[in-house]
Amino acid sequence: MTERAAVKAALKTQAVETPSWAYGNSGTRFKVFAQQGVPRDPREKLDDAAKVHELTGVAPTVALHIPWDTVDDYAALARHAEDRGLRLGAINSNTFQDDDYRLGSVCHPDASVRRKAVDHLLECVDIMDATGSKDLKLWFADGTNYPGQDDIRARQDRLAEALAEVYERLGDDQRMLLEYKLFEPAFYTTDVPDWGTAYAHCLRLGPKARVVVDTGHHAPGTNIEFIVATLLREGRLGGFDFNSRFYADDDLMVGAADPFQLFRIMYEVVRGGGMSGDVAFMLDQCHNVESKIPAIVRSVMNVQEATAKALSVDRDALGAAQRDGDVLGANSVLMDAFSTDVRPLLREVREEMGLDPDPMAAYARSGWAEKIVAERVGGEQAGWGA
């Protein structure tokens, strides 16, 4: 197989998971701007996700968020997804939108509140069983605002106890993906603030516990690709929440702020064997002012472009330059790959997959936007802040 054919083959097998909440109304703590035609329930979110997969060919799974995507029959929801050529992906828990969690959820000083939070996480595993989902994704807003507010070490003990109970409930083919975030909404301490804390808890739990890297959850200047390389080396990278930011956690479209960073991350994924299917490439974005479906399509394309460039790195030339101590030569190999226009290659890939070479133009011609605006009238629009 030629190098070009190998790159194309890898791109055809890549899968990007889209988040159900990205299809619904979203906003900031200041305002949610409602859009016409957004889904009113989880099934309509899946309908939109099916359109994204139809256009891109590489978005076969959809992450759910509980309770935002609560339904009476999760097996029926899974069948609805299958009927549209999709599968249900990661189940995301929610322990941050209840008054009882003002001082935390699994780290709360009150045992009854901790019990409530853990019971919700166990319910999410039940939902995984019903949907066939393999990944339980956990993000905790737990933390403190003031020095002395709570015992920092005791909160870590409570977190470890909660995670251990949930871990034991997982099936043999299910995983726990633990996310971290530098700050927000807590402003003094965050209970899972960085990859080291998440990694330490995962090590204690066992091999089914992996770390999730949200690309927007770091201090400015953090070398995210180093984190990715280290977690891959240790076999503990569970997946990504892809997005981008300019200042704090903006949840902007992946690759929008710093496409070079996305390329560097994807190179470490390729270099570390992360294209084998063990690492989940998930979007975690909120489209507050732009149209939902085109934004998600564009995001999937951004991941594809960064991946194509990463796959195109001349690793033999790079290795030779590194062994020779040729600093500028090694850097040039990477920069040459990043500067390559991979869009013609990706158009070829899509045509070979029986897809339109330009997914954005195909969506504009499809009439889907006009269809959902006409049909989705009335009802409660589902999504963050809606």
Side-chain angles (χ1 to χ4, degrees):
M1 183 182 293
T2 66
E3 180 180 341
R4 183 180 181 85
V7 170
K8 290 164 72 173
L11 290 168
K12 291 174 185 177
T13 60
Q14 186 178 29
V16 180
E17 183 163 300
T18 67
S20 67
W21 52 95
Y23 296 98
N25 281 327
S26 60
T28 69
R29 65 184 182 275
F30 301 110
K31 172 66 177 174
V32 172
F33 296 102
Q35 296 185 20
Q36 291 183 313
V38 298
R40 296 163 296 182
D41 57 48
R43 287 174 176 80
E44 291 183 345
K45 293 178 183 179
L46 293 175
D47 294 342
D48 285 354
K51 177 58 65 173
V52 172
H53 184 44
E54 174 190 322
L55 294 166
T56 64
V58 294
T61 59
V62 182
L64 299 185
H65 200 294
I66 308 301
W68 299 344
D69 295 317
T70 297
V71 294
D72 294 332
D73 189 337
Y74 289 99
L77 187 65
R79 290 192 296 272
H80 183 85
E82 291 170 5
D83 289 343
R84 281 146 183 79
L86 301 172
R87 301 187 311 276
L88 296 181
I91 302 300
N92 291 254
S93 61
N94 183 320
T95 55
F96 52 88
Q97 282 190 308
D98 190 297
D99 286 344
D100 285 342
Y101 299 144
R102 181 173 62 89
L103 300 179
S105 61
V106 296
C107 300
H108 198 287
D110 187 327
S112 65
V113 175
R114 297 199 299 273
R115 183 70 259 161
K116 175 179 178 177
V118 171
D119 285 345
H120 167 68
L121 303 184
L122 295 173
E123 175 195 10
C124 287
V125 181
D126 292 338
I127 294 170
M128 293 170 66
D129 293 339
T131 60
S133 300
K134 303 301 182 185
D135 290 334
L136 172 68
K137 190 146 71 71
L138 305 179
W139 173 72
F140 299 106
D142 292 39
T144 64
N145 280 354
Y146 297 97
Q149 177 181 326
D150 200 357
D151 188 310
I152 294 175
R153 178 166 175 168
R155 292 180 73 89
Q156 289 296 310
D157 292 340
R158 298 166 199 156
L159 173 62
E161 182 179 354
L163 292 176
E165 182 176 349
V166 179
Y167 185 89
E168 288 302 313
R169 171 64 183 81
L170 294 174
D172 292 339
D173 61 344
Q174 294 174 337
R175 306 189 303 175
M176 174 186 290
L177 305 184
L178 183 58
E179 189 176 349
Y180 58 91
K181 188 175 185 180
L182 178 65
F183 77 102
E184 191 187 43
F187 295 111
Y188 173 59
T189 62
T190 301
D191 290 313
V192 190
D194 51 42
W195 72 275
T197 305
Y199 177 55
H201 281 284
C202 288
L203 280 182
R204 180 183 290 261
L205 289 166
K208 292 184 290 186
R210 305 285 182 93
V211 179
V212 170
V213 175
D214 184 305
T215 50
H217 283 189
H218 304 84
T222 298
N223 189 319
I224 299 175
E225 58 266 33
F226 174 82
I227 299 170
V228 170
T230 301
L231 290 173
L232 277 168
R233 180 174 180 270
E234 298 298 323
R236 290 288 178 160
L237 179 63
F240 289 94
D241 273 358
F242 277 133
N243 53 56
S244 62
R245 60 87 183 270
F246 288 101
Y247 299 104
D249 177 26
D250 300 332
D251 275 352
L252 299 175
M253 289 167 48
V254 58
D258 189 349
F260 185 46
Q261 180 190 67
L262 181 60
F263 161 75
R264 299 193 311 264
I265 290 170
M266 289 310 303
Y267 173 71
E268 292 303 331
V269 170
V270 170
R271 159 71 178 83
M275 295 291 290
S276 64
D278 197 37
V279 176
F281 300 113
M282 301 176 284
L283 302 181
D284 181 15
Q285 304 173 175
C286 291
H287 305 294
N288 300 336
V289 296
E290 65 271 30
S291 298
K292 314 292 183 179
I293 298 174
I296 298 170
V297 170
R298 181 68 258 181
S299 297
V300 173
M301 294 172 66
N302 287 351
V303 174
Q304 288 181 296
E305 290 179 15
T307 304
K309 292 181 178 185
L311 288 165
S312 300
V313 172
D314 187 339
R315 292 174 63 179
D316 291 338
L318 180 61
Q322 290 170 341
R323 288 189 297 272
D324 292 342
D326 184 356
V327 176
L328 294 181
N331 177 251
S332 293
V333 173
L334 280 182
M335 295 308 298
D336 285 345
F338 176 67
S339 299
T340 300
D341 185 357
V342 296
R343 291 175 297 176
L345 173 70
L346 284 163
R347 284 194 288 269
E348 286 182 28
V349 168
R350 295 184 186 110
E351 288 175 336
E352 291 174 9
M353 295 174 67
L355 304 172
D356 191 293
D358 186 345
M360 294 292 284
Y363 178 71
R365 293 193 307 267
S366 70
W368 187 258
E370 294 79 10
K371 171 183 167 65
I372 58 178
V373 167
E375 293 181 353
R376 295 174 184 172
V377 178
E380 181 178 355
Q381 294 173 324
W384 171 267

